[in-house]
Amino acid sequence: MLLIAVVAVRVSSRSGLPSLLIYLGIGIAMGQDGIGGVAFDGAELTQILGYAALVVILAEGGLGTKWKEIKPALPQAAALSTIGVAVSVGVTAAGAHYLAGIDWHQALLIGAVVSSTDAAAVFSVLRNVPLPSRLTGVLEAESGFNDAPVVILVVAFSTVGPVEEWYVLLGTIALELAIGAAVGLTIGWLGAYGMRHVALPASGLYPIAVMAIAVSAYAAGALAHGSGFLAVYLAAVILGNAKLPHAPATRGFAEGLGWIGQIGMFVLLGLLVTPHKLVDDFVPALVIGLILTIVARPASVFTALLPFRVPWREKTLLSWAGLRGAVPIVLATIPMVSDVPGSERVFNIVFVLVVVYTLVQGPTLPWLARRLKLGNGKEAADLGIESAPLERLRGHLLSTSIGPTSRMHGVEVGELRMPAGAAVTLVVREGSSFVPAPTTVLRRGDELLVVATDQVRDAAERRLQAVSQGGKLAGWLGTGGAPGRHHREQGPH
């Protein structure tokens, strides 16, 4: 299954189809209506494993999120995750009731379930769509934030008996978000502090420890009756921006776990669905999906971002980029586990809606970005720097490579102006390694080994990033960050 799914990623990348659809197809093919003939109806097991997969996916997304990109976007993401969700639920539920003939209880359930954007879908699409950082930050933060209020609404609408008053629901959402944020930020900060001051005996332990800290944030947030999803995302964001040892290896490990989580979750959801039962709910699903995509999502975006000065082009793209994926399908299992009347129909409608409109939105998002002139082109990516602590020597080995768009190409080693206590000790070029001289000119594809003391490790990383982005004059001409005081006093060395 894993080998087939890995090959499917390659197929999806070439065809433009979202990989989640291929995973769902694999699950359906294995099911009772497919060639596998596997009869599976474990909605509760699917919900539990789906939650576990979402925790890993949110952790992976948080570790790869750049704080400098999402920090300006936090107010907009918060508005989309609260006001936007409320507008989306109301508009979608009204459309489902009046246009698709769904009773109000089921309509509210469907409106709540499909109002959450999917972190896995958003993160995977954003890897291939070069959007401006401000839009990427909004979409990433929104997908990390909006699971919490939606889960609360779905659970409330899935209870037997009357639903709580709207102001009670609002208070519950606010309290759980506050608790989840506090827990996530606290555990993230403590985890980052501990990881930076404890040298583990093997580099392979660092990724495991980081993921364990992130998952612990979810557990602590849930036990404190807060939003565990928000807690794990915020903790992972802090860990991912804390300059931890072996950070690239940690992100690679987390990405691998995220892929396993996606594969397992989507295949399981494909197994759970019974295709021949989808026929009767196909047309209502198309109608509700059209309402969600054309009316509810744009209304939620334009309403929530009303206080902000966001150009209409960006609002239009944000409206189309509200991608749904496994999250709504997993949430649709909540009423099934609670034995809510009509819950199987809700699941079938949500399943069809997600499949059809993901097939429409995902491949067309890059085209829309180009039409709206919001494509970012190929920007010089930040330098990936691997750090290995030297505990006994109170130093660090920093290794990095010069990418094809890095402005470090053509810079002499002496022109890097590394801080006192840091030096480039080795260059690997075309399979050969040598000790560079101050006049050695760096080239694209070179791999550098830098030794830095504890005190200047952060400054050395900042300087390498600055030169990669701004060239040899970074700092002096206001590009790539300013050189520190010790740079100006010590000069090149």
Side-chain angles (χ1 to χ4, degrees):
M1 284 302 305
L2 282 174
L3 288 175
I4 293 172
V6 169
V7 174
V9 175
R10 180 62 176 171
V11 174
S12 68
S13 64
R14 286 190 171 186
S15 64
L17 288 175
S19 56
L20 69 91
L21 296 181
I22 299 180
Y23 301 153
L24 286 173
I26 293 173
I28 293 173
M30 291 176 59
Q32 58 185 2
D33 284 359
I35 58 176
V38 177
F40 177 75
D41 60 355
E44 185 174 2
L45 176 62
T46 302
Q47 180 184 326
I48 293 171
L49 296 180
Y51 272 34
L54 289 176
V55 170
V56 174
I57 291 168
L58 283 170
E60 186 261 326
L63 289 172
T65 299
K66 298 174 183 177
W67 174 248
K68 64 182 180 181
E69 290 185 0
I70 71 164
K71 183 179 178 181
L74 289 180
Q76 300 173 22
L80 288 171
S81 302
T82 51
I83 299 172
V85 164
V87 173
S88 180
V89 171
V91 174
T92 305
H97 177 71
Y98 291 111
L99 297 181
I102 309 294
D103 68 71
W104 271 115
H105 190 201
Q106 293 181 13
L108 285 171
L109 263 174
I110 294 172
V113 165
V114 300
S115 293
S116 175
T117 57
D118 182 66
V122 170
F123 293 145
S124 62
V125 168
L126 290 181
R127 291 189 183 105
N128 302 317
V129 182
L131 296 178
S133 59
R134 59 185 179 277
L135 289 180
T136 301
V138 171
L139 290 170
E140 289 185 352
E142 181 197 8
S143 66
F145 290 173
N146 63 12
D147 290 340
V150 169
V151 168
I152 297 170
L153 289 176
V154 174
V155 171
F157 294 149
S158 299
T159 55
V160 178
V163 179
E164 293 179 319
E165 297 290 344
W166 65 270
Y167 53 85
V168 177
L169 283 178
L170 289 180
T172 302
I173 291 173
L175 179 62
E176 292 200 12
L177 288 176
I179 294 173
V183 170
L185 293 173
T186 301
I187 291 183
W189 186 86
L190 291 175
Y193 180 84
M195 292 296 295
R196 294 189 62 159
H197 289 81
V198 176
L200 298 177
S203 60
L205 293 174
Y206 284 89
I208 297 174
V210 169
M211 289 301 294
I213 293 169
V215 174
S216 298
Y218 172 83
L223 290 174
H225 300 286
S227 170
F229 291 125
L230 181 59
V232 67
Y233 180 70
L234 290 178
V237 170
I238 292 177
L239 290 167
N241 289 270
K243 303 291 185 181
L244 298 181
H246 305 289
T250 298
R251 286 193 293 271
F253 178 78
E255 186 176 358
L257 288 182
W259 278 113
I260 291 178
Q262 289 185 55
I263 292 168
M265 179 169 54
F266 291 130
V267 170
L268 204 57
L269 291 170
L271 270 175
L272 185 63
V273 74
T274 307
H276 73 265
K277 295 182 180 179
L278 301 177
V279 177
D280 294 337
D281 298 316
F282 193 81
V283 174
L286 292 182
V287 172
I288 296 171
L290 190 63
I291 296 167
L292 172 67
T293 306
I294 304 300
V295 182
R297 173 65 181 182
S300 66
V301 170
F302 278 78
T303 302
L305 298 183
L306 199 59
F308 306 95
R309 295 182 178 179
V310 180
W312 70 268
R313 286 186 178 88
E314 296 186 5
K315 290 181 181 178
T316 302
L317 188 66
L318 290 173
S319 299
W320 193 249
L323 302 177
R324 271 70 190 175
V327 171
I329 305 177
V330 171
L331 295 181
T333 63
I334 295 177
M336 295 179 68
V337 174
S338 303
D339 292 325
V340 175
S343 57
E344 187 173 352
R345 188 186 187 195
V346 171
F347 180 86
N348 291 339
I349 289 175
V350 171
F351 189 92
V352 173
L353 185 156
V354 167
V355 170
V356 172
Y357 286 93
T358 300
L359 186 60
V360 172
Q361 287 179 278
T364 57
L365 185 59
W367 173 84
L368 182 61
R370 291 192 298 270
R371 293 289 295 177
L372 294 173
K373 299 181 180 180
L374 292 174
N376 219 8
K378 292 185 177 180
E379 290 188 343
D382 284 347
L383 214 58
I385 300 176
E386 174 79 29
S387 174
L390 303 174
E391 184 180 15
R392 296 177 59 188
L393 302 179
R394 297 184 179 276
H396 292 264
L397 288 175
L398 308 179
S399 60
T400 186
S401 59
I402 302 177
T405 59
S406 174
R407 298 188 66 181
M408 198 179 290
H409 173 77
V411 175
E412 295 182 2
V413 170
E415 293 173 329
L416 291 175
R417 302 202 312 278
M418 299 294 291
V424 179
T425 58
L426 196 70
V427 174
V428 180
R429 178 178 296 168
E430 297 179 352
S432 301
S433 58
F434 58 92
V435 177
T439 56
T440 298
V441 179
L442 301 175
R443 302 297 183 194
R444 294 187 181 91
D446 285 355
E447 297 182 18
L448 311 183
L449 183 67
V450 180
V451 176
T453 61
D454 277 342
Q455 294 82 0
V456 301
R457 190 196 80 162
D458 289 345
E461 289 193 26
R462 287 195 298 269
R463 183 58 193 164
L464 290 172
Q465 294 279 8
V467 177
S468 179
Q469 296 172 8
K472 67 178 71 176
L473 297 180
W476 297 107
L477 299 180
T479 57
R485 179 180 176 183
H486 48 274
H487 294 154
R488 292 189 295 269
E489 293 176 352
Q490 298 292 335
H493 52 274

